[in-house]
């Protein structure tokens, strides 16, 4: 038994004994005992009232109490002290966290489920132009760019969004949104102006170099043609060299053309509103007819297209991407093989597919096959004028059409290149 219980027992037993003794002397034992019990109950009620007032926060002080109450009050005081210490510690952590996020160079905004602003740091005030009065407002009322509004609506937060800062067009921001704590979003905006400038300089450099290379290449090609057209002008021993030079100049020309085309795709941001319904069935027939002339002897080409369904897009870009796939199939498939070209559209979207029974691509090369200039070693034999840019162009064009490239291939068995387009792009 603890000291508090012993003391409480002493009060009860001692008090009752004293009441009985006095009552016996006065000849009113029951009345004295009753008075004592009432006083004992009143003491408990008195302490209960104090405790309740203290718990409700009406008073800061607890009486010392006696008996069991001294222990109850003591423990409550200890609890309160511990609680205060923990609160102070948490407040300190929170303050330090807020100071750290405030010092972050990236704009950080805490958003509710409805995208209302709950908190933001100094960088957010600077980069996004947020002010204290904006707390509680929806973020899309302040960042009104249509791209950002669409980004929020579609909630495709797995990819970052790049856009100009709301208050300064020259600042480029990379915006990322992550969901946390089941009902909050964290928006982080990073200033990527320098990176963007460097990227633009790189693109401009490639475009300029490719452009500058065009003229000397045309001159060289012209002289070479003159020489090959008049075989008597050159000793026969040099003929194989001329042929090799011709092949390499052609390859250089393809390289320059592909590089220029890629940089055009990268630099022109075509508005999707400019896209028109493209008759893919007719386009595919056309491409296959033209591609068949690429190589005099080639594998059998079978075309299976679904008439009627059109694809919302840029015809020139789609022609270039599909031609790359069909020409690759022709180049990398022996003439005894078979090539199948398909276009299908249904409720799940549109699919353009080129399958061949050619040399295929070994599994270890598949992850890198769409990178610029990446070629499977030994591809030169089948396609000496190849540039390694064809599939990069295909991927880029598909990105501009909300599409995706799927590649299935097995070395020695053939390959299937499938372009998937979303349903919203298919027009019946
Ligand atoms: P290239 O001009 O070299 O064909 P691409 O970017 O079009 O450049 O293709 C990259 C590489 O992918 C090629 O070098 C080749 O090794 C491989 N490849 C592309 N299409 C096929 C195919 N249908 N069959 C086998 N390999 C292919």
């Amino acid at each position: 038994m603890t000291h508090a219980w012993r003391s409480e027992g002493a009060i009860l037993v001692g008090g009752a004994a004293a009441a009985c003794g006095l009552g016996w002397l006065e000849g009113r034992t029951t009345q004295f005992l009753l008075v004592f019990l009432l006083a004992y109950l009143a003491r408990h009620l008195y302490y209960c009232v104090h405790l309740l007032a203290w718990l409700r926060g009406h008073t800061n002080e607890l009486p010392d109490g006696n008996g069991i109450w001294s222990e109850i009050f003591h423990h409550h005081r200890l609890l309160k002290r511990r609680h205060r210490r923990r609160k102070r510690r948490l407040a300190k952590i929170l303050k330090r966290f807020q100071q750290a996020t405030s010092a972050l160079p990236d704009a950080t905004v805490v958003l509710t489920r409805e995208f209302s602003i709950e908190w933001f740091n100094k960088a957010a005030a600077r980069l996004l132009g947020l002010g204290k009065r904006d707390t509680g407002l929806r973020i899309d009322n302040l960042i009104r760019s249509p791209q950002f509004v669409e980004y929020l609506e579609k909630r495709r937060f797995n990819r970052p969004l790049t856009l100009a800062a709301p208050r300064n067009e020259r600042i480029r921001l990379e915006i990322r949104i992550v969901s946390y704590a089941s009902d909050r979003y964290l928006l982080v905006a990073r200033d990527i102006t320098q990176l963007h400038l460097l990227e633009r300089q790189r693109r401009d450099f490639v475009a300029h170099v490719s452009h500058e290379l065009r003229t000397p290449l045309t001159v060289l090609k012209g002289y070479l043609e003159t020489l090959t057209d008049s075989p008597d002008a050159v000793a026969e021993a040099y003929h194989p060299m001329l042929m090799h030079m011709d092949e390499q100049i052609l390859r250089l020309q393809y390289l320059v053309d592909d590089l220029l085309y890629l940089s055009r795709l990268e630099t022109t941001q075509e508005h999707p509103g400019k896209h028109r319904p493209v008759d893919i069935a007719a386009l595919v027939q056309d491409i296959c007819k033209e591609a068949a002339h690429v190589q005099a002897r080639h594998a059998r080409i079978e075309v299976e297209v679904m008439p009627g369904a059109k694809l919302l897009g840029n015809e020139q870009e789609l022609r270039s991407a599909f031609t790359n796939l069909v020409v690759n199939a022709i180049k990398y498939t022996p003439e005894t093989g078979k090539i199948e070209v398909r276009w299908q559209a249904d409720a799940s979207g549109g699919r353009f597919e080129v399958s061949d029974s050619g040399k295929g691509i070994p599994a270890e090369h598949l992850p890198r096959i769409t990178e610029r200039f990446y070629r499977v070693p030994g591809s030169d034999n089948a396609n000496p004028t190849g540039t390694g840019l064809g599939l990069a162009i295909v991927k880029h064009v598909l990105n501009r059409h909300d599409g995706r490239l799927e590649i299935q291939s097995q070395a020695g068995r053939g390959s299937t290149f499938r372009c998937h387009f979303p349903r919203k792009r298919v027009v019946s």
Side-chain angles (χ1 to χ4, degrees), residues 34-310:
L34 203 67
V35 169
F36 165 71
L37 285 178
L38 280 175
Y40 184 73
L41 189 67
R43 169 179 157 267
H44 279 303
L45 283 177
Y46 170 77
Y47 287 141
C48 277
V49 168
H50 267 282
L51 182 62
L52 202 63
W54 184 81
L55 286 174
R56 282 181 175 159
H58 296 330
T59 170
N60 284 331
E61 284 303 314
L62 273 180
D64 288 339
N66 50 30
I68 191 68
W69 285 102
S70 85
E71 176 120 350
I72 290 175
F73 291 151
H74 172 68
H75 282 294
H76 272 89
R77 271 190 224 102
L78 276 185
L79 266 181
K80 190 164 182 175
R81 231 173 282 152
R82 229 177 283 156
H83 176 69
R84 223 183 274 151
R85 245 182 275 143
R86 196 176 308 150
K87 213 165 127 185
R88 240 180 276 141
R89 214 173 37 231
L90 281 177
K92 224 189 259 176
I93 292 174
L94 191 71
K95 199 169 163 198
R96 242 180 271 149
F97 173 75
Q98 282 192 342
Q99 281 169 342
T101 37
S102 282
L104 275 179
D106 298 342
T108 313
V109 186
V110 174
L111 300 170
T112 63
R113 271 265 140 228
E114 293 74 37
F115 302 121
S116 304
I117 300 168
E118 198 169 72
W119 180 87
F120 57 88
N121 66 354
K122 279 187 203 144
R126 186 168 41 84
L127 291 173
L128 304 173
L130 301 183
K132 270 208 173 109
R133 66 197 175 283
D134 299 326
T135 309
L137 295 183
R138 273 182 64 107
I139 187 87
D140 45 354
N141 283 344
L142 302 157
I143 306 176
R144 288 165 173 266
S145 135
Q147 282 163 284
F148 182 71
V149 175
E150 193 186 334
Y151 186 63
L152 279 194
E153 265 170 20
K154 297 201 170 146
R155 292 173 196 244
R156 272 202 215 121
F157 300 144
N158 49 346
R159 280 193 209 168
L161 174 75
T162 309
L163 88 182
R167 295 255 175 109
N168 187 347
E169 285 282 307
R170 273 181 297 172
I171 296 180
R172 299 294 300 178
L173 296 177
E174 185 193 71
I175 294 189
R176 277 180 185 277
I177 295 184
V178 282
S179 135
Y180 76 99
S182 80
D183 61 348
R184 289 289 181 276
Y185 288 107
L186 192 70
L187 180 149
V188 180
R190 197 159 65 100
D191 184 347
I192 52 157
T193 315
Q194 281 306 319
L195 226 100
H196 189 71
L197 276 176
L198 277 176
E199 179 68 10
R200 210 173 63 195
Q201 280 168 1
R202 181 194 64 80
R203 279 199 308 253
D204 289 351
F205 174 74
V206 172
H208 287 144
V209 169
S210 316
H211 192 74
E212 290 304 320
L213 278 174
R214 252 188 169 171
T215 320
L217 271 177
T218 318
V219 174
L220 278 178
K221 176 99 180 134
Y223 283 139
L224 209 61
E225 262 169 20
T226 317
L227 288 177
T228 43
D229 284 351
S230 44
D232 298 339
V234 185
E236 209 176 325
Y238 293 115
H239 286 188
M241 280 184 228
L242 287 182
M243 265 173 63
H244 196 218
M245 276 168 77
D246 191 44
E247 203 175 80
Q248 290 307 311
I249 285 187
L250 193 67
R251 186 175 180 189
L252 262 175
Q253 275 186 325
Y254 284 152
L255 197 70
V256 166
D257 287 348
D258 281 356
L259 273 175
L260 272 174
Y261 191 66
L262 252 179
S263 66
R264 212 170 30 242
L265 284 180
E266 278 179 332
T267 43
T268 51
Q269 283 234 335
E270 195 179 51
H271 194 270
K274 280 196 179 159
H275 283 174
R276 301 266 165 267
V278 181
D279 186 348
I280 300 292
L283 181 73
V284 171
Q285 298 280 11
D286 210 28
I287 289 172
C288 291
K289 227 182 278 163
E290 277 176 23
H293 298 298
V294 166
Q295 216 159 269
R297 295 157 72 88
H298 57 77
R300 186 159 47 93
I301 305 177
E302 282 179 14
V303 184
E304 192 187 306
V305 288
M306 211 175 109
K310 295 183 177 180

Side-chain angles (χ1 to χ4, degrees), residues 296-415:
R297 295 157 72 88
H298 57 77
R300 186 159 47 93
I301 305 177
E302 282 179 14
V303 184
E304 192 187 306
V305 288
M306 211 175 109
K310 295 183 177 180
L311 190 75
L312 216 53
N314 177 314
E315 181 164 349
Q316 265 318 101
E317 289 181 14
L318 291 171
R319 176 184 285 273
S320 147
F322 295 171
T323 305
N324 266 315
L325 294 179
V326 176
V327 169
N328 273 353
I330 292 176
K331 297 254 170 171
Y332 299 109
T333 308
E335 35 180 303
T336 47
K338 191 170 116 182
I339 297 168
E340 289 168 282
V341 183
R342 279 190 211 95
W343 161 247
Q344 284 174 331
D346 54 32
S348 62
R351 275 174 310 285
F352 172 77
E353 187 179 297
V354 182
S355 293
D356 64 57
S357 59
K359 63 196 286 249
I361 303 165
E364 68 269 26
H365 296 288
L366 277 177
R368 299 193 57 191
I369 207 72
T370 54
E371 281 176 24
R372 282 164 204 211
F373 300 112
Y374 194 86
R375 305 189 76 202
V376 175
S379 299
D380 266 353
N381 301 336
N383 184 5
T385 53
T387 62
L389 291 172
L391 292 181
I393 291 178
V394 173
K395 206 173 149 190
H396 223 92
V397 169
L398 292 190
N399 273 346
R400 285 160 73 89
H401 288 79
D402 309 311
R404 151 177 87 80
L405 179 66
E406 181 193 345
I407 308 172
Q408 287 168 344
S409 190
Q410 249 183 318
R413 293 241 175 139
S415 321

